[in-house]
Amino acid sequence: MYSVTAEGTRLFYINEVKMNRCFIRTIIALACTSCFASSAPLRIRFVKGNIADKTAAVRESSGDDAAFLSKEAIDFALEHKALLGNDRDLDGLALAGVLALPANSVASLDYGGREALSEKFVKLFSLFPSDTVRIALLNKTLSLRDSLPPEPCVAFLNDYLANAQGAAGENGVVKAAVRTLGEIGDSRSFSVLFAARRQQKWPQYGKDIDEALALLADKSLPEVIGIIREGNVKSDIRPLFDVLIKNEKISAAFKSEIAENMLSETIYIANNASSITRETVSLQVDALDVIVQNKWTRSAQAVLSFFDLAEREYKAGVMTDGEFVKTINAVAEIAPVDASSRLASHLAALNKQTESGAKVSETIALALIGALGRIGNKSSFDTLLYVTYVNYPEPVIAAARDALARLKW
């Protein structure tokens, strides 16, 4: 009897465990069904409903539903665009899909999935001419810049702006495209936007284009140098200089590098031109200002070369006293060692002119004397001393005596 009772007890506990397991599985199944049921209505409404129902479902979605339905909406819009053509309801569904797409769901995709989504964005932009849809796509692209591969969108927008007519800018899509390229564009974007600026393709968006060019400049140095070397001073180089140098977002080092290249190129242009224009001289002096302001001593050779040219420009009357003074001070600050002999030579020429009775610019004489005093090279002693023997105005003679006292022996 005892063994039978024990066996019965064992069977009883086994059956009880099985019943408990079954109960637990039932509870889990019911819980899963409940969770599915709580999110299923929006998905069911999307699948069973017309386009307006689908759009409403997407707009009301959140969380996992939003991640799922936004992609379904985009796919549906792309799949049926050819059949439905320009349909306002389909535009609304595409717009809802783009706006509802959660950033975290995109970030969780593998690279292939993110690249596919980026290409779908390009296809949506291409197939849907609605301004609202296109602007929403561009804004979403910017908000997802850390997740979406930019190459498909950038390549497409480069072509879009390069081929677009000026009138297209009236709808605001161009403005959004310019802003997008400024944030995620490449070096070709810089070329496309600068060409649009030069052609005055969208004058109403001039500030937006300038801002985008400034943002793209640091990744487009070869293109910038190409414009400087091949462009026209008035229509290309000066506008480029103004765009880059006046923008506070560009680093001082980059501005200085641009200024150095512009100075070198305008020296080449002036040396190979039959005449020197005021536009060229003005640009040279402005580039020089940037170099001095940022103490860009790397450009010492270019600055020295410019001093030689500036002497001729000043003599030809295309450079003002004030501009030549700036040049004198710049060469003394950026290349003091090599500048000393050049400055002393020019002062010596003024000494001879003054001695012969010719009138020279007191402003220039004072600038040369002051620069030599600051440099302090004793090799300029004889030239400075000679100033005190010539019939200069008293302020010039006093400045020469002060400069002599500052020479380093």
Side-chain angles (χ1 to χ4, degrees):
M1 287 294 291
Y2 179 80
S3 62
V4 173
T5 301
E7 181 62 21
T9 301
R10 187 178 68 82
L11 291 173
F12 172 78
Y13 282 115
I14 290 174
N15 288 332
E16 187 174 10
V17 168
K18 287 181 178 180
M19 289 177 66
N20 287 338
R21 288 176 178 173
C22 182
F23 178 74
I24 292 171
R25 284 197 296 268
T26 301
I27 294 299
I28 292 174
L30 288 171
C32 291
T33 301
S34 176
C35 290
F36 176 76
S38 65
S39 63
L42 289 177
R43 302 190 187 195
I44 291 172
R45 197 195 320 175
F46 182 92
V47 173
K48 294 181 66 175
N50 57 29
I51 295 180
D53 293 332
K54 295 180 189 300
T55 302
V58 175
R59 287 176 176 171
E60 294 173 21
S61 64
S62 61
D64 291 341
D65 278 343
F68 176 81
L69 292 178
S70 61
K71 293 172 187 176
E72 289 293 311
I74 290 171
D75 289 342
F76 184 93
L78 289 173
E79 182 180 354
H80 298 288
K81 177 62 176 175
L83 177 63
L84 297 178
N86 290 331
D87 183 270
R88 292 182 65 181
D89 289 337
L90 192 64
D91 287 353
L93 179 61
L95 177 63
V98 172
L99 294 176
L101 187 64
N104 60 351
S105 71
V106 177
S108 66
L109 297 173
D110 60 20
Y111 183 81
R114 284 182 276 128
E115 187 174 41
L117 180 60
S118 186
E119 290 171 353
K120 285 180 182 179
F121 274 21
V122 169
K123 195 172 181 181
L124 278 171
F125 189 101
S126 178
L127 293 177
F128 285 78
S130 163
D131 296 348
T132 305
V133 173
R134 287 182 166 182
I135 292 172
L137 276 165
L138 295 173
N139 290 338
K140 180 64 73 169
T141 298
L142 281 183
S143 70
L144 297 174
R145 77 183 79 180
D146 294 332
S147 301
L148 281 183
E151 292 80 10
C153 179
V154 170
F156 179 83
L157 288 180
N158 285 341
D159 290 338
Y160 172 75
L161 290 182
N163 298 322
Q165 300 301 313
E170 299 295 340
N171 58 19
V173 175
V174 165
K175 181 175 183 177
V178 168
R179 175 171 170 263
T180 301
L181 284 182
E183 297 288 346
I184 64 172
D186 55 17
S187 58
R188 184 176 171 237
S189 307
F190 184 93
S191 298
V192 169
L193 291 172
F194 189 78
R197 187 190 195 282
R198 182 174 52 213
Q199 297 162 13
Q200 287 294 293
K201 208 171 185 180
W202 301 290
Q204 67 273 43
Y205 299 139
K207 290 183 179 179
D208 301 284
I209 292 174
D210 286 354
E211 184 67 21
L213 287 170
L215 292 173
L216 292 167
D218 63 346
K219 62 176 78 171
S220 310
L221 184 59
E223 286 69 27
V224 172
I225 301 303
I227 293 170
I228 294 171
R229 291 179 178 173
E230 299 171 14
N232 175 274
V233 170
K234 187 174 182 179
S235 62
D236 298 317
I237 304 177
R238 164 56 81 177
L240 179 64
F241 179 87
D242 290 341
V243 167
L244 300 184
I245 300 304
K246 293 178 181 178
N247 194 288
E248 296 180 356
K249 296 180 181 178
I250 296 180
S251 69
F254 189 82
K255 289 180 180 180
S256 300
E257 190 166 0
I258 297 304
E260 179 185 353
N261 276 277
M262 287 190 174
L263 184 62
S264 297
E265 184 58 27
T266 53
I267 290 170
Y268 174 81
I269 291 172
N271 284 333
N272 289 275
S274 57
S275 61
I276 303 171
T277 66
R278 274 296 307 160
E279 287 85 2
T280 300
V281 173
S282 176
L283 181 58
Q284 290 168 339
V285 174
D286 286 349
L288 195 65
D289 282 343
V290 174
I291 289 170
V292 172
Q293 181 180 355
N294 296 317
K295 304 185 186 305
W296 193 248
T297 55
R298 226 178 65 176
S299 64
Q301 191 55 52
V303 172
L304 286 168
S305 296
F306 178 57
F307 180 77
D308 296 337
L309 172 63
E311 287 183 306
R312 302 198 304 273
E313 292 176 338
Y314 179 70
K315 186 176 181 180
V318 291
M319 177 177 279
T320 66
D321 275 24
E323 290 170 335
F324 193 41
V325 167
K326 280 188 177 183
T327 306
I328 292 168
N329 291 333
V331 74
E333 182 167 346
I334 301 299
V337 175
D338 294 319
S340 182
S341 60
R342 283 176 165 84
L343 296 173
S345 176
H346 194 86
L347 180 59
L350 295 186
N351 289 345
K352 288 183 180 180
Q353 292 176 40
T354 303
E355 189 176 32
S356 66
K359 187 177 181 180
V360 301
S361 169
E362 182 177 338
T363 301
I364 301 303
L366 287 170
L368 289 166
I369 292 168
L372 288 170
R374 290 193 300 275
I375 293 172
N377 193 320
K378 63 182 180 180
S379 64
S380 61
F381 174 80
D382 290 339
T383 304
L384 289 169
L385 181 63
Y386 198 70
V387 170
T388 63
Y389 297 145
V390 182
N391 191 28
Y392 277 110
E394 181 56 34
V396 175
I397 295 173
R401 288 174 179 150
D402 179 69
L404 285 167
R406 298 169 66 184
L407 297 182
K408 300 168 187 175
W409 297 87

